[in-house]
Amino acid sequence: MTSRRSIFDANRIITSKNPMMTESSCPASDGSEQGEDTMTHDEAAPALAGNILPFIDKLIISPKEAKAIVQEIYRLCQWQDILIIVVLGWCFVPIVEIYYNNLTFSKDRVPYRESRVFHVATLISQIGQIALIVYVVDVMDIARATMGISFMDKLDLPVTSAKLIYTVWAANKIMKFKHYLLMKYMAESKQKVGLAHLIDHMINGMLGCITMFSIVDILDIEGAGLKSAITFGSAGTLAFTLASQSIVSAIVNGFALSASNRFYVGELVKFGDGTSGTVVKLGWMETVLRSSDNLVVAVPNTQLAGQRVMNLSRNKMCQIKLMLKFHYKDMKLLPPFTLALKETLKRTCPELISDGARPFRVLIHDLLDTHIEVMVDTHYNIPPIGDVYYNNRQHVLMIIYECIKQHGLELVVFKYPTHFQMNQE
């Protein structure tokens, strides 16, 4: 594949630069003479030997040759084209902004930089900026062909570069627009936000593969294109097979965690080994957690895949369970105390579950050698995380304290020897 226009014009200029190149200097049409001039099968075809100085010689041009190149560029390029491209690339956005601010009078008008008009104008502006880059590449290709450098003739540099730049640019814009749509329509809850991030990563991978195959198809390297997808898949399988087992395992476990719907970014989780925290990042290789003391911990996915996980953010109910210890001398005061505490909790805790769906017990639990145990087991329609949970827990503790005080009871307090007393003994 050769350049659309510059090669033919370059041949005309090269001929004009070398007047000695006439029909007499062309190879003879006789079959015997042609056989003597051509290379035989046994002759060597060196890659660099004898080719470096001729290539450098092509880069050194005389003023006459430079003038011929400038004339050829001037003949093929139109200043009107460049003017239109510059206006689209650098003047279109401010022109639209002036129109938007002065000719739209809606009370609900959003700022220009936040409007859809700005985003559309920016897209058109970027198309113009890329067009100027392609135009410069086209001019450079004209100069290259005019200088007689032919190693890039088959690539058709202007068309290929335009396709490559616009393909990568379009893929990037599609990824950003897709991310915007996912965050806009799936940001109602933390669970949907986590699912949106998962879908975002998966679509990015698909778009990346499509873009890569498109680039291969554009370059058409040795006939490779989209038809080589099967071959590429085989090569990818071989690469995964030869890769480190730990890396492959981490990637597979990361994908399994992302697709399992067990937890998403922003949720509070607790694993079977005691690791807990808010999910900050759910990656392919590792999961990043932020603990309650704001320490960030990166845990490999291979350590998390087979563990039990408790997603505290998805629990809609919580439990507050206490074991109160009383003296044996207060045994007769405990039954009225338990009844009064139970009624007070029902009356003052609106989120308390007292319809039998969950246990609600305030009773004497056990008689031990040194004290009597009273169990307070309550459940609430409150998630077990956040300020709402801790405020409710504080409220319950204050109710228990006031009820103990009203009934003249006293909790058993065990005194343990201090370090100083142990040394004295």
Side-chain angles (χ1 to χ4, degrees), residues 185-418:
Y185 295 104
M186 300 186 67
E188 300 176 358
S189 63
K190 290 183 178 180
Q191 182 175 354
K192 289 187 176 181
V193 170
L195 180 60
H197 281 291
L198 173 60
I199 297 175
D200 188 35
H201 288 313
M202 295 179 66
I203 297 179
N204 282 346
M206 296 173 59
L207 288 175
C209 293
I210 294 174
T211 303
M212 180 181 61
F213 287 132
S214 300
I215 292 175
V216 173
D217 186 57
I218 292 171
L219 295 177
D220 197 19
I221 302 175
E222 295 182 358
L226 289 178
K227 59 186 178 182
S228 62
I230 299 178
T231 305
F232 179 82
S234 301
T237 304
L238 178 61
F240 272 105
T241 304
L242 298 178
S244 172
Q245 182 179 359
S246 60
I247 297 177
V248 175
S249 177
I251 295 175
V252 172
N253 289 326
F255 180 79
L257 287 174
S258 300
S260 64
N261 194 30
R262 299 168 72 185
F263 54 86
Y264 293 118
V265 175
E267 294 183 331
L268 180 62
V269 296
K270 183 176 181 180
F271 291 93
D273 61 354
T275 304
S276 62
T278 302
V279 181
V280 178
K281 177 183 177 183
L282 186 58
W284 300 115
M285 300 287 294
E286 62 184 14
T287 298
V288 181
L289 303 175
R290 185 180 67 248
S291 59
S292 58
D293 53 0
N294 287 326
L295 293 179
V296 178
V297 182
V299 185
N301 291 329
T302 52
Q303 298 181 9
L304 301 179
Q307 293 191 42
R308 294 177 297 175
V309 58
M310 182 185 301
N311 194 328
L312 301 178
S313 298
R314 299 184 187 180
N315 290 345
K316 303 303 180 183
M317 294 180 289
C318 66
Q319 178 188 26
I320 298 179
K321 184 176 182 180
L322 301 171
M323 302 300 293
L324 306 178
K325 301 175 176 59
F326 295 98
H327 296 282
Y328 273 96
K329 65 183 181 65
D330 297 328
M331 181 66 176
K332 295 182 179 180
L333 299 176
L334 293 180
F337 163 75
T338 56
L339 293 176
L341 178 59
K342 195 169 185 178
E343 293 299 325
T344 305
L345 290 174
K346 285 183 179 180
R347 186 177 66 255
T348 59
C349 297
E351 300 296 334
L352 176 68
I353 302 176
S354 58
D355 58 356
R358 291 290 185 274
F360 176 37
R361 303 185 181 98
V362 181
L363 45 80
I364 298 175
H365 179 260
D366 201 357
L367 301 177
L368 301 178
D369 294 338
T370 57
H371 60 275
I372 304 172
E373 280 190 348
V374 174
M375 179 178 64
V376 181
D377 187 9
T378 58
H379 293 76
Y380 303 86
N381 288 313
I382 297 174
I385 57 175
D387 293 338
V388 177
Y389 166 76
Y390 287 104
N391 289 336
N392 180 71
R393 184 180 179 86
Q394 175 180 279
H395 177 67
V396 172
L397 294 177
M398 291 300 300
I399 291 175
I400 295 174
Y401 171 76
E402 293 294 338
C403 196
I404 291 174
K405 186 177 179 182
Q406 290 175 4
H407 287 77
L409 297 173
E410 183 180 352
L411 293 174
V412 174
V413 179
F414 293 97
K415 295 183 180 180
Y416 297 95
T418 62

